[in-house]
Amino acid sequence: MFIPKRILFMKGSLDYQVGRQIHAYFKDNSKVEIIELGNHGIKKNIPGDDISEFYRHGKRTLVVGIRRGMKFQSCKPSAHYQLPLLSGCIGQCEYCYLNTNLGDRPYMRVNVNVDEILEQAGKNIEERLPEVTIFEGSATSDPIPVEPYTHSLKQAIQYFSKTEKGRFRFVTKYTDVDTLLDVNHGGHTEVRFTLNTDRVIQDFENGTPLMSKRIEAARKIMSADYPTGFLIAPVFLYDHWQDDYKNLLLELKDIIPKNTSYPVTFEVISHRYTPRAKNIITKIFPDTKLPMEDEERTYKYGQFGYGKYTYRKEELEEIKSFFKKEIPAVFPDGVVKYII
Ligand code: SF4
């Protein structure tokens, strides 16, 4: 669970139940600084003279605010809309896409007007009838570490359980799932866990739980009968990487329940980076050991108009053929959605 060093309550946020819950939870904790702000002033209240310091202090800051605009961003290809309950993440994964997308906003932000956000989701569902509309709860965040005191995922899960054509999904590396276990989800929320080998976690995923802890959280979620998936990402090539990823699959199989109501899904993404991301990462993590030698990679133009450095063709083929063979071997009933 995220215990912030400081919480910035934006104007009006304490008029909402989620804001009051967070305040009540931390008000007697002398290690947490509570600051009430107007409509502005977030950056002024987070110390740090350069990008790296600001990032580190930002990661220990919780901003409690109100979502003003109600036009949701699209979230192709995995969902129709982003559900803007939160943004930011407490993790410090060196390769994280948020370093680029939210570079100047590294803090965790919780939007307290959950009812209004869900009401808007209802309108979006109506507009697309009779089609199903899928909402992504983690497009710009990992929402789990604040859930024990916000309960906003719980509220969303309950909401979508009652919609005939609305679906919800989110992905996490964290383990604070206990408050979600007795929620009536109706099978309308899919929870995905991002897994990686302990070596990758130790080298690059600072401040995130070990593989065994994530698998234990997945076991709990699957026992509560949620549709569940696993994102194995980013895959890195290093000596004996096949052994480590194979062990990950075997450990997962040992721990998670058999005979679940929904097939277990897998998505596999190899490591890639944009030139812009590399530039930011090397400023925030000057000693990073992330493999980002451009000459060892292939530059590919993507569908969103900017290019990425991926592993070379033969290496990508090696990754694909490994997971294509090993996932079905360990999980004969699993569904491999894609390997890229
Ligand atoms: S846990 Fe996910 S969202 Fe958070 S820093 Fe790591 S990669 Fe980024």
Side-chain angles (χ1 to χ4, degrees):
M1 182 170 72
F2 179 35
I3 307 290
K5 187 159 171 29
R6 70 189 64 76
I7 309 180
L8 310 180
F9 286 94
M10 306 307 290
K11 188 176 175 189
S13 59
L14 287 167
D15 297 338
Y16 289 80
Q17 193 190 341
V18 177
R20 288 193 295 272
Q21 264 164 222
I22 298 171
H23 192 270
Y25 197 92
F26 288 107
K27 72 179 177 5
D28 298 324
N29 186 336
S30 58
K31 293 193 177 128
V32 181
E33 186 183 6
I34 291 187
I35 302 167
E36 291 186 31
L37 290 179
N39 289 324
H40 306 283
I42 295 176
K43 286 193 186 157
K44 269 195 220 148
N45 281 283
I46 301 176
D49 291 334
D50 59 35
I51 180 172
S52 166
E53 261 187 60
F54 182 72
Y55 173 88
R56 279 167 183 81
H57 287 289
K59 287 280 179 180
R60 301 175 71 192
T61 303
L62 176 64
V63 174
V64 183
I66 298 172
R67 167 81 183 191
R68 300 289 176 193
M70 278 297 158
K71 188 169 167 15
F72 294 173
Q73 294 208 12
S74 77
C75 195
K76 287 176 187 160
S78 61
H80 297 100
Y81 294 106
Q82 302 183 10
L83 192 73
L85 297 173
L86 311 105
S87 63
C89 176
I90 65 169
Q92 300 190 22
C93 302
E94 296 177 17
Y95 55 74
C96 179
Y97 68 108
L98 295 183
N99 296 335
T100 316
N101 288 14
L102 294 180
D104 59 340
R105 287 170 285 154
Y107 46 81
M108 187 94 201
R109 178 186 169 112
V110 171
N111 290 324
V112 292
N113 47 338
V114 178
D115 289 334
E116 288 160 37
I117 293 169
L118 294 175
E119 199 180 303
Q120 178 59 42
K123 290 180 189 159
N124 292 6
I125 294 170
E126 293 239 327
E127 277 168 17
R128 284 182 35 85
L129 286 175
E131 302 298 322
V132 166
T133 303
I134 305 171
F135 295 84
E136 170 61 61
S138 52
T140 57
S141 72
D142 189 316
I144 283 288
V146 294
E147 179 60 19
Y149 47 82
T150 64
H151 303 295
S152 46
L153 284 179
K154 180 175 180 170
Q155 219 180 313
I157 292 167
Q158 282 168 334
Y159 175 83
F160 287 105
S161 76
K162 295 187 196 115
T163 61
E164 198 193 335
K165 297 287 186 178
R167 296 290 181 275
F168 185 43
R169 68 200 308 250
F170 62 87
V171 61
T172 186
K173 284 192 175 93
Y174 287 86
T175 58
D176 312 283
V177 296
D178 288 0
T179 52
L180 302 180
L181 300 180
D182 60 356
V183 180
N184 178 15
H185 54 77
H188 287 188
T189 293
E190 182 194 41
V191 186
R192 285 132 69 230
F193 288 87
T194 308
L195 301 178
N196 221 318
T197 66
D198 277 335
R199 168 154 171 192
V200 171
I201 294 172
Q202 272 153 14
D203 283 356
F204 308 126
E205 299 184 351
N206 312 302
T208 68
L210 283 174
M211 177 172 76
S212 57
K213 305 269 186 218
R214 300 181 200 179
I215 293 178
E216 175 55 17
R219 185 194 64 73
K220 291 183 190 174
I221 282 288
M222 292 178 86
S223 301
D225 210 27
Y226 280 91
T228 307
F230 295 97
L231 185 58
I232 302 177
V235 172
F236 286 96
L237 298 183
Y238 57 86
D239 285 349
H240 309 298
W241 63 273
Q242 293 101 328
D243 295 342
D244 287 1
Y245 284 100
K246 178 84 192 254
N247 285 338
L248 184 162
L249 293 171
L250 292 172
E251 188 174 335
L252 183 61
K253 186 192 165 81
D254 262 4
I255 306 284
I256 61 175
K258 325 279 176 275
N259 305 321
T260 48
S261 308
Y262 308 93
V264 186
T265 63
F266 291 89
E267 297 156 85
V268 181
I269 306 176
S270 56
H271 178 243
R272 57 212 45 226
Y273 60 90
T274 63
R276 179 153 179 254
K278 179 176 172 179
N279 184 30
I280 294 172
I281 290 166
T282 46
K283 282 191 183 121
I284 299 176
F285 301 100
D287 301 323
T288 188
K289 294 192 188 73
L290 272 177
M292 293 190 294
E293 304 303 331
D294 300 351
E295 52 285 357
E296 291 176 10
R297 298 290 183 109
T298 296
Y299 191 72
K300 270 195 195 157
Y301 286 95
Q303 54 173 321
F304 300 112
Y306 53 86
K308 291 180 180 185
Y309 287 100
T310 66
Y311 279 112
R312 286 181 180 153
K313 194 163 172 246
E314 324 75 74
E315 293 168 323
L316 284 176
E317 284 309 320
E318 209 185 334
I319 291 173
K320 281 184 191 170
S321 65
F322 172 80
F323 284 103
K324 250 189 209 163
K325 176 165 164 267
E326 297 300 342
I327 294 175
V330 181
F331 294 93
D333 299 325
V335 174
V336 180
K337 289 189 160 177
Y338 58 84
I339 303 170
I340 57 171

